[in-house]
Amino acid sequence: MTPLSGAATEFFDRFVSAFRTFDGKAVSGLFCYPYLAVDQHGSRRVFDNARETARYFQQHLDHYRSIGTVYCSYQALEIVPAGELSALATVTWSLHGADGHELSRWRESYCVVRSAGGLLACASIDHAE
């Protein structure tokens, strides 16, 4: 495992842990600002701070919980380095119910940058179906 792939794995593992809290503030700690989110329809939102990002993720987390999601997982990590300090990291996300069954799946890419505490995402884009 390269240092970059190790850092990306750690980033997504931290994301999974933050997701399990169902706390948007915990998830927002994985992002830097401004942060750009692009959904599968091409709609764009830019967030200037952790508070706005926490609200954004809290809406998603509340919805996921309402459909029976208990945890998320990722697989098929792909990393494209962009110099020494950044990369494009892509994963397939799955949402799971209490018995482990899959409720939803999608592919998403993140522009990540190195920081003192590990990678942070500055942009994400959901892949169109």
Side-chain angles (χ1 to χ4, degrees):
M1 183 178 290
T2 68
L4 183 56
S5 63
T9 297
E10 193 232 317
F11 171 81
F12 289 108
D13 289 347
R14 288 185 358 240
F15 198 109
V16 167
S17 294
F19 184 100
R20 279 188 179 265
T21 69
F22 283 88
D23 179 3
K25 185 176 179 182
V27 174
S28 72
L30 298 164
F31 295 82
C32 58
Y33 304 97
Y35 160 57
L36 169 66
V38 182
D39 70 18
Q40 66 183 357
H41 306 292
S43 297
R44 297 165 304 279
R45 294 185 66 185
V46 176
F47 302 95
D48 291 323
N49 57 58
R51 192 178 83 236
E52 292 174 2
T53 306
R55 265 193 306 238
Y56 169 74
F57 280 109
Q58 194 62 56
Q59 291 172 342
H60 286 287
L61 292 165
D62 291 345
H63 170 70
Y64 296 154
R65 183 177 267 169
S66 77
I67 63 169
T69 303
V70 175
Y71 68 97
C72 72
S73 66
Y74 70 92
Q75 62 234 12
L77 172 61
E78 294 179 25
I79 305 160
V80 177
E84 293 182 26
L85 300 177
S86 58
L88 178 68
T90 302
V91 294
T92 298
W93 286 112
S94 295
L95 301 180
H96 302 275
D99 63 359
H101 72 282
E102 188 175 88
L103 298 167
S104 181
R105 175 186 287 239
W106 71 97
R107 193 100 171 120
E108 190 163 356
S109 293
Y110 298 81
C111 291
V112 293
V113 295
R114 289 188 190 270
S115 71
L119 295 180
L120 294 174
C122 56
S124 63
I125 184 166
D126 292 342
H127 295 207
E129 300 256 335

